[in-house]
Amino acid sequence: MSNTPNTSQSPAVEKEGPITRLLRATEIDARILGMAAALLVIWAGFDIYSRLFSTIGFDSDGLIFGGSFITPRNLWNLLNQTASIAIMSTGMLLLIVMRQLDLSIGSMLSTVAVAIGTLQVFRLAPALGEGNRAIWIIAVFGALALGSFMGWFNGVLVAYARIPAFIVTLGGLIAYGGLAWAIIRGETVAPMDSTFELLGGNVPQYSLGVFWSWVVAVVAISGIVYSIWNSRRQRQRFNFPLRPMWAEWFLGAAGSVMVGLLTWVVTIYPWAPNVIKQWATDHHITVPAGIEDKDGNAICMAGEQMVRCVHGYIVYTGYSIPFMIAVGVGLAMSFVATRTSFGRHIYATGGNPEAAELSGINTKKLTVKVFILMGFLVGIGSIITSARLNAATNSLGQSNELYVIAAVVIGGTSLSGGIGTVSGAMLGALLMQSLQSGMTLLNFESAFRDMVVGAVLVAAVFVDQLYRRSVK
Amino acid sequence: MKNIVKAVMLGALAATAMGGVANAAGKTIAVSWKTFQEERWKGDEATIKAVVEAAGDKYISSDAQGSAQKQAADIEGLIAQKPDVIMVVAFDADAILPSIKKISDAGIKSIAYDVQFEDPNALYITFDNVGVGRIMAKEVLKVKPEGNYAFIKGDKGDPNATFLFQGQLEVLKAQMDAGKIKNVCETFTDGWKPDNAQKNMEQCLTSTKNKVDAVLSENDGMASGVVAALKAQGMAGTVPVSGQDGDLAAINRVALGTQTVSVWKDTAQLGKAAANAAIALADGTAIDKIPGVAKFNGGKKKVEMNAILLAPTPITKDNIGDAIKAGHITKEQACAGVKDNAACK
Amino acid sequence: MAKRTAKKTALKVVKKTPAKKASAPKASVAVARGTPLVEMKDISIAFGGIKAVDHASIDLYPGEVVGLLGHNGAGKSTLIKILSGAYKRDVGQIFVDGKEISITNPRDAKANGIETIYQTLALADNVDAAGNLYLGRELKTRLGTLDDVAMEDATRKVMFKLNPNFRRFKEPVSKLSGGQRQSVAIARAIHFNARILIMDEPTAALGPQETAQVGELIKQLKAEGIGIFLISHDLHDVFDLADRLVVMKNGKVVGTAYTKDVTHDEVLGMIIAGKCPKGAIPGPGALRDAA
Ligand SMILES: Nc1ncnc2c1ncn2[C@@H]1O[C@H](COP(=O)(O)OP(=O)(O)OP(=O)(O)O)[C@@H](O)[C@H]1O
Ligand SMILES: [Mg+2]
């Protein structure tokens, strides 16, 4: 541990393997790369398995191995299914980074969901008239406000009453669960306001569609290129060591290819034929003539009858609203964590709470703020979950806290605080949902599913620790 | 609110029901409740009390507040008041047995209300749980006699999930053996949660490329998730979906046509049957002569008992009016957004 | 801001000088030298029955280095932590520029120009040098985001003064050596133009070259008119750098002396036995007969 000379000119470089060299030059977090690799292995595994052992015998739209996992439809579903947990995991990440925890988020989600559910169905709809545009806006703000308020309440008890977060939120887990039940007395409110429902992404007609999805892709790629260029310029300004040029190109290209691939996948997922049919009828669209083929995704006119066919009228889905919300939240939370003093203070507090306090950070206020943020994100989670289900009930969101914490931990976050990334947590959520969805897709028994997910959680932490030790 | 309506109405019902039975009034019916923390038991008490008092008998009760010890003491207290029948909602089905023996020793008749305890002298009254599964399958089978069936089961930790599934299979067995019905997806749903059911159904539709013709969901909450998944594929309303509990939202779905059946266990019906049986016992009717009594040995220890197993009511688009009439749901709730159901006109 | 308050309160201070019999000569000194930069008066704090600091009074003048000495557990760190806002005193008053101020947390202390190098360093281990240096007062870009490059640039400059060999700016400080960490802590304290600097054993982990560098630094800061509390167990260092020294024992002040008026052995006597020599002004903790 003596003073090493400038890292970029270290003599050790010559002995490095190509991967180490790539990681060092591009400054990519090896843990994120490892998780992305694990994710691809899992996907490929499911896809190949489904191809080999399919009991149902159907033809698939498999993109790579011909199985049923790596298909536009399944990947699109997967992104949608992950959204709520991924969004909440970013808040939990910050809490765990600052050595706190929130066990009450599942019950909070139920409470918020049933509160805004009853609000829109039993109060707003009768008062304003069903389908009024104000309903969904009030419901969304209500959810965010109620979530934030509950987070604030947790935070105040933790920071100012000095009750450990574990206790406060364990109490919350039980108490808010009761609250949710009391609001709705075990019933289900359904259906939600018809505009509110769109936020759940369960109505394919209101996804982004092909054009806007590619617009998003172009914006994203420009963003990647700009941020690489900007950080290079900043380093130049102060004469700091720069990344080698090839590494910059590599980063830009890899990022753009990934965005492009994902966009391609979601823009070749067609609406269900029934949905297309409905759309064509409603919008008086002339459907081309063709012959019936039950395996086709498009629709044709076979004489007077509208039928399924292979080449005909077809509409593709594109990015879903929950996915876009999740991406937005991910970017915002990454920004908060790495680019703002608020985030810096959170990490420092997690690293050494006493030092943070001595540095003049008001750690109590900070704690409350992070709990509020968590509550706010639970608000978003409850909007997406209840909109997606188009119903709200007190069991909604139960035990989500476990999945969210698992996602954060799989994402390489240290439970002892100070270490963790937003992208890691979100990837962790995606990884876990991939396992669950994949095993459900393959009709694995749910007991087996639970065993695998639990084992992966433990294994992920073990591998992470091995990695950390080897780096030290 | 709902319960008040129900109670008032049942009082009236009970009065007419009892009109024809010749009985000697002035008997005492005692009930040992396990807890009033759960809302439903208050409703049951109102029903039983109304029936008993309408018959001119006396109703006494005690609340064990969720404690087996307190329940044992409660029962001793009730025995001391010399009632003719003691009805017990056991908090702990095994720990209660010595107390039940004391009841018999005192020459008092006992009834196991909704929760079974295995005492051969007692009368057991409950809903037929395996029957719920059968009814679901029957109603769905009427709509789709053949095709690909998906089974969205409840939580794997709950034995009811498996009982229901067994009941469903009994009904479908013939068609399945004949190859007319195929089980294309079968999955437990963690915590009976609707959002999990939605994910399970999405995966089922993905894996079968939407080739699902009917869905047997084991309750109404999960049915809401199933219907949401079907809706995303434009299939809601064309694929029959089952459920149970008589959820208000589910009855609305039945009226809308997106759900086929919600099997409803009307606890008021259970309370009424139990009260009537208690009155009959108090009047000296032999236990196996009470209407509806059959032998039952489906308990843990396989003890043979006399039991009344009530058949639950399937709510389908044809009898929604009954649920509205019974005060279980208002017409507005049942008919929100519905255009073409007779009961909603 | 500090200068403003200094002018306003210059007169009041004369009245407030300690009025104990024994400290009469010290009072005259104080008047002669103007307003003390800091004065901690009659400070006490107890931790569950242990009187860590027991009616201690110390002061510090601009451009002065006051060495704080005492055995392990004497209460040195606790006393200065009260000044830096880490602990809340049970009783006592704190004056800066003769004006009583309330310090209830580290933010109050920093607002009064008091910077501290803690014995424990108080670094966030998971954050890099620049992050620690600017913790709580980060530089921002025009958009309000962290200006990491600017912070790193400034950090490179400060660190160069203290530890010219230091290169590991991108790594969390947990990966640095003890001395490197100490350098970061020192850099943080001197970077924000403190008027009052508290150094709690700042050179404990440093090598000879770096220690010498800190010595130079102290002299330079002193010349700039900054007041420094220097806690150290190294008598040579203290005699070398401090103008005055205060010895504590069991939470009490044994005595105060100008470095030139006492010898090493006399100071050792103060630290070990609590004996106050001729050249020193005894405090409440001095042995009775020695006084
Ligand atoms: N946070 C605390 N809680 C309880 N006791 C404490 C605390 N901080 C200090 N003490 C006690 O107060 C006394 C003075 O401690 P302090 O750290 O001020 O000593 P010191 O003079 O700095 O010693 P050293 O030379 O070892 O650094 C000790 O007896 C210590 O145990
Ligand atoms: Mg100390």
Side-chain angles (χ1 to χ4, degrees):
Chain A
M1 277 280 171
S2 64
N3 293 327
T4 43
N6 211 328
T7 42
S8 56
Q9 290 143 23
S10 163
V13 170
E14 282 148 42
K15 277 184 259 158
E16 286 171 352
I19 294 182
T20 333
R21 198 162 131 230
L22 180 76
L23 287 180
R24 184 181 287 267
T26 53
E27 293 167 17
I28 296 177
D29 186 353
R31 234 175 274 136
I32 297 286
L33 202 67
M35 272 176 52
L39 199 61
L40 291 183
V41 168
I42 290 169
W43 288 10
F46 278 132
D47 205 43
I48 294 170
Y49 185 98
S50 66
R51 173 71 193 269
L52 296 181
F53 300 100
S54 164
T55 47
I56 305 157
F58 53 86
D59 56 336
S60 117
D61 321 323
L63 295 175
I64 301 177
F65 304 106
S68 57
F69 194 89
I70 308 186
T71 60
R73 173 175 182 169
N74 189 54
L75 295 181
W76 189 90
N77 265 338
L78 186 62
L79 295 179
N80 244 6
Q81 291 167 344
T82 313
S84 164
I85 297 283
I87 286 169
M88 293 191 287
S89 76
T90 63
M92 187 67 82
L93 165 88
L94 292 187
L95 278 176
I96 291 181
V97 160
M98 73 178 297
R99 303 193 188 184
Q100 304 289 356
L101 187 70
D102 194 338
L103 294 173
S104 69
I105 56 168
S107 299
M108 265 164 76
L109 193 149
S110 326
T111 306
V112 176
V114 297
I116 58 166
T118 47
L119 177 73
Q120 52 186 294
V121 176
F122 298 140
R123 304 248 176 271
L124 296 177
L128 302 174
E130 195 128 346
N132 189 309
R133 276 301 153 113
I135 295 178
W136 78 273
I137 297 173
I138 299 174
V140 164
F141 279 103
L144 301 179
L146 181 58
S148 306
F149 173 76
M150 293 174 87
W152 170 83
F153 187 68
N154 282 344
V156 167
L157 288 180
V158 172
Y160 291 98
R162 302 211 193 162
I163 311 168
F166 186 88
I167 306 298
V168 169
T169 61
L170 182 62
L173 166 71
I174 300 166
Y176 301 154
L179 179 60
W181 194 89
I183 293 174
I184 199 163
R185 309 222 76 91
E187 278 288 349
T188 307
V189 261
M192 300 283 124
D193 173 71
S194 54
T195 316
F196 182 84
E197 189 196 352
L198 304 181
L199 298 173
N202 203 39
V203 185
Q205 300 90 306
Y206 288 89
S207 288
L208 257 55
V210 177
F211 176 75
W212 287 108
S213 296
W214 282 109
V215 169
V216 166
V218 169
V219 170
I221 291 173
S222 318
I224 291 172
V225 172
Y226 172 77
S227 69
I228 291 175
W229 173 77
N230 188 42
S231 98
R232 192 174 178 86
R233 201 188 49 142
Q234 288 283 321
R235 290 184 192 209
Q236 261 165 349
R237 181 155 73 97
F238 288 94
N239 276 324
F240 291 172
L242 298 172
R243 279 196 284 247
M245 208 55 205
W246 65 265
E248 307 274 25
W249 279 108
F250 176 84
L251 279 178
S256 308
V257 166
M258 259 154 49
V259 170
L261 269 180
L262 190 63
T263 311
W264 174 67
V265 167
V266 298
T267 51
I268 57 168
Y269 171 41
W271 295 359
N274 287 347
V275 177
I276 302 177
K277 227 177 261 178
Q278 190 65 47
W279 180 265
T281 319
D282 292 351
H283 292 80
H284 310 290
I285 289 163
T286 24
V287 176
I291 30 166
E292 173 160 10
D293 181 346
K294 278 247 156 58
D295 286 326
N297 285 321
I299 52 166
C300 295
M301 297 302 295
E304 285 296 286
Q305 253 217 307
M306 219 188 262
V307 291
R308 284 173 161 213
C309 61
V310 179
H311 304 288
Y313 177 60
I314 190 161
V315 191
Y316 294 98
T317 312
Y319 286 118
S320 70
I321 294 176
F323 176 77
M324 292 312 296
I325 297 176
V327 168
V329 167
L331 288 175
M333 291 295 285
S334 258
F335 178 82
V336 164
T338 59
R339 307 292 328 140
T340 66
S341 53
F342 175 63
R344 175 66 49 82
H345 294 174
I346 291 169
Y347 278 79
T349 305
N352 187 345
E354 204 200 339
E357 183 70 41
L358 292 177
S359 301
I361 294 170
N362 189 340
T363 50
K364 287 184 179 160
K365 230 179 179 171
L366 189 71
T367 306
V368 176
K369 281 189 198 160
V370 180
F371 270 101
I372 292 176
L373 186 56
M374 178 80 251
F376 182 84
L377 294 169
V378 170
I380 299 181
S382 74
I383 291 168
I384 291 180
T385 319
S386 62
R388 199 170 113 76
L389 184 64
N390 197 18
T393 163
N394 58 298
S395 72
L396 208 63
Q398 260 173 27
S399 69
N400 270 9
E401 63 278 352
L402 299 181
Y403 291 109
V404 168
I405 292 172
V408 170
V409 169
I410 290 176
T413 307
S414 159
L415 279 180
S416 46
I419 297 170
T421 58
V422 169
S423 46
M426 293 186 99
L427 266 181
L430 184 59
L431 199 143
M432 207 168 42
Q433 187 59 51
S434 298
L435 285 173
Q436 284 177 319
S437 296
M439 285 187 279
T440 311
L441 191 71
L442 303 181
N443 244 328
F444 282 15
E445 250 200 90
S446 94
F448 184 72
R449 220 157 64 198
D450 291 352
M451 280 153 56
V452 170
V453 172
V456 165
L457 171 69
V458 176
V461 173
F462 179 64
V463 171
D464 196 52
Q465 294 206 333
L466 283 186
Y467 168 76
R468 265 183 218 165
R469 258 178 263 153
S470 76
V471 169
K472 270 184 193 162
Chain B
M1 175 69 170
K2 200 174 83 193
N3 282 322
I4 298 168
V5 173
K6 217 191 263 180
V8 169
M9 223 197 43
L10 278 159
L13 261 182
T16 48
M18 296 314 294
V21 185
N23 57 38
K27 298 286 187 331
T28 304
I29 312 289
V31 185
S32 167
W33 300 96
K34 64 171 178 178
T35 174
F36 281 138
Q37 290 292 322
E38 290 170 45
E39 192 161 81
R40 80 160 267 207
W41 302 115
K42 272 284 178 197
D44 288 35
E45 180 178 46
T47 310
I48 292 173
K49 193 162 179 242
V51 176
V52 168
E53 286 174 355
D57 290 336
K58 193 169 149 221
Y59 170 85
I60 58 174
S61 74
S62 62
D63 170 17
Q65 294 167 357
S67 152
Q69 278 96 334
K70 178 157 190 314
Q71 191 158 37
D74 280 353
I75 290 174
E76 274 175 26
L78 291 173
I79 292 172
Q81 299 178 54
K82 299 200 172 29
D84 299 282
V85 177
I86 299 183
M87 221 186 275
V88 178
V89 183
F91 176 74
D92 181 322
D94 294 319
I96 200 78
L97 290 174
S99 304
I100 304 300
K101 184 153 184 304
K102 274 184 206 156
I103 297 176
S104 323
D105 292 350
I108 302 170
K109 310 268 176 38
S110 59
I111 294 179
Y113 181 70
D114 208 28
V115 181
Q116 188 185 14
F117 49 78
E118 297 181 70
D119 184 296
N121 298 320
L123 174 65
Y124 174 38
I125 301 184
T126 190
F127 276 107
D128 181 359
N129 278 312
V130 184
V132 174
R134 285 198 213 109
I135 297 173
M136 287 175 179
K138 260 183 220 152
E139 294 297 330
V140 170
L141 195 63
K142 272 190 219 161
V143 185
K144 275 278 144 70
E146 49 188 86
N148 290 340
Y149 271 55
F151 297 85
I152 304 296
K153 304 189 285 184
D155 190 272
K156 61 180 171 299
D158 185 341
N160 273 320
T162 305
F163 291 153
L164 288 162
F165 183 59
Q166 281 166 357
Q168 293 168 356
L169 286 190
E170 273 174 40
V171 173
L172 303 178
K173 192 169 183 306
Q175 290 293 83
M176 287 176 103
D177 288 346
K180 297 249 172 69
I181 287 178
K182 224 159 93 183
N183 173 350
V184 286
C185 310
E186 175 193 333
T187 171
F188 284 112
T189 307
D190 285 340
W192 298 84
K193 286 174 50 191
D195 42 344
N196 287 338
Q198 182 176 14
K199 287 178 187 171
N200 287 340
M201 194 62 218
E202 281 169 350
Q203 296 313 97
C204 172
L205 289 170
T206 303
S207 72
T208 58
K209 283 195 95 189
N210 290 357
K211 284 171 190 141
V212 172
D213 300 306
V215 186
L216 285 166
S217 150
E218 290 187 350
N219 79 4
D220 284 341
M222 298 196 302
S224 69
V226 168
V227 170
L230 289 172
K231 186 178 171 192
Q233 296 300 324
M235 295 162 72
T238 55
V239 176
V241 176
S242 69
Q244 70 159 318
D245 289 343
D247 261 11
L248 305 189
I251 296 176
N252 178 235
R253 278 196 299 274
V254 170
L256 286 167
T258 51
Q259 184 172 333
T260 313
V261 58
S262 172
V263 181
W264 179 36
K265 291 190 273 187
D266 182 359
T267 55
Q269 193 191 347
L270 188 69
K272 206 169 67 180
N276 284 333
I279 293 164
L281 281 176
D283 290 341
T285 316
I287 194 163
D288 49 2
K289 293 284 173 331
I290 292 173
V293 165
K295 295 290 178 201
F296 175 82
N297 61 0
K300 236 181 359 193
K301 297 177 210 153
K302 308 276 176 228
V303 174
E304 189 174 81
M305 301 176 70
N306 291 298
I308 298 177
L309 299 182
L310 295 179
T313 323
I315 301 179
T316 62
K317 63 180 191 313
D318 303 324
N319 66 349
I320 286 176
D322 295 352
I324 299 173
K325 263 183 242 144
H328 177 61
I329 186 170
T330 65
K331 191 171 168 185
E332 277 161 38
Q333 287 169 321
C335 299
V338 179
K339 294 186 190 75
D340 55 353
N341 191 293
C344 294
K345 295 271 157 64
Chain C
M1 184 179 77
K3 272 178 211 143
R4 196 159 22 93
T5 47
K7 268 181 215 153
K8 248 193 268 170
T9 50
L11 279 173
K12 270 191 235 159
V13 179
V14 183
K15 281 180 245 158
K16 277 192 186 129
T17 42
K20 269 181 231 150
K21 299 167 272 169
S23 55
K26 191 180 156 201
S28 62
V29 172
V31 172
R33 297 171 66 195
T35 318
L37 197 49
V38 188
E39 193 176 3
M40 296 179 78
K41 234 178 175 179
D42 222 17
I43 304 281
S44 293
I45 187 172
F47 295 111
I50 300 172
K51 287 185 173 171
V53 174
D54 194 0
H55 296 285
S57 300
I58 53 172
D59 54 8
L60 176 70
Y61 287 85
E64 188 186 32
V65 177
V66 171
L68 202 49
L69 297 161
H71 59 83
N72 290 125
K76 309 180 292 290
S77 297
T78 308
L79 179 61
I80 60 95
K81 276 185 170 177
I82 289 171
L83 181 59
S84 75
Y87 291 149
K88 265 182 235 161
R89 61 194 179 278
D90 296 338
V91 293
Q93 293 164 292
I94 299 174
F95 300 89
V96 168
D97 298 322
K99 194 181 154 206
E100 178 160 13
I101 57 166
S102 120
I103 295 183
T104 54
N105 58 47
R107 291 180 292 288
D108 295 342
K110 283 176 204 280
N112 283 289
I114 302 170
E115 292 290 337
T116 313
I117 300 156
Y118 291 96
Q119 192 171 8
T120 54
L121 303 184
L123 297 174
D125 284 334
N126 55 331
V127 175
D128 62 15
N132 269 293
L133 197 94
Y134 280 97
L135 194 55
R137 38 197 168 189
E138 290 78 8
L139 297 182
K140 311 243 174 84
T141 62
R142 262 171 302 146
L143 300 173
T145 63
L146 290 178
D147 196 345
D148 276 326
V149 266
M151 287 193 271
E152 186 179 332
D153 186 53
T155 307
R156 282 173 189 266
K157 286 182 185 139
V158 200
M159 287 299 287
F160 187 78
K161 281 199 261 177
L162 293 168
N163 194 337
N165 296 321
F166 187 73
R167 290 280 186 289
R168 310 182 66 183
F169 288 97
K170 283 274 177 244
E171 296 183 55
V173 297
S174 62
K175 302 226 172 129
L176 305 184
S177 76
Q180 289 172 327
R181 289 160 58 86
Q182 195 143 36
S183 304
V184 175
I186 298 173
R188 173 171 64 181
I190 63 170
H191 186 58
F192 293 94
N193 301 322
R195 297 195 306 126
I196 301 151
L197 194 57
I198 302 169
M199 304 176 116
D200 195 346
E201 307 195 20
T203 56
L206 297 187
Q209 188 198 349
E210 289 83 357
T211 304
Q213 218 124 11
V214 172
E216 284 307 310
L217 182 76
I218 291 177
K219 284 177 192 155
Q220 187 192 325
L221 294 170
K222 185 175 140 74
E224 289 169 18
I226 293 168
I228 300 175
F229 280 120
L230 175 66
I231 301 179
S232 177
H233 289 292
D234 187 330
L235 279 186
H236 284 284
D237 272 0
V238 174
F239 269 87
D240 197 21
L241 297 169
D243 303 297
R244 255 191 317 151
L245 37 88
V246 177
V247 178
M248 289 182 74
K249 186 167 167 33
N250 296 331
K252 294 184 176 135
V253 173
V254 172
T256 312
Y258 283 98
T259 328
K260 56 180 177 6
D261 298 343
V262 285
T263 66
H264 278 215
D265 287 344
E266 284 172 335
V267 173
L268 277 176
M270 289 171 87
I271 295 171
I272 298 164
K275 268 197 288 192
C276 216
K278 284 261 152 44
I281 305 150
L287 274 184
R288 287 276 165 252
D289 51 348

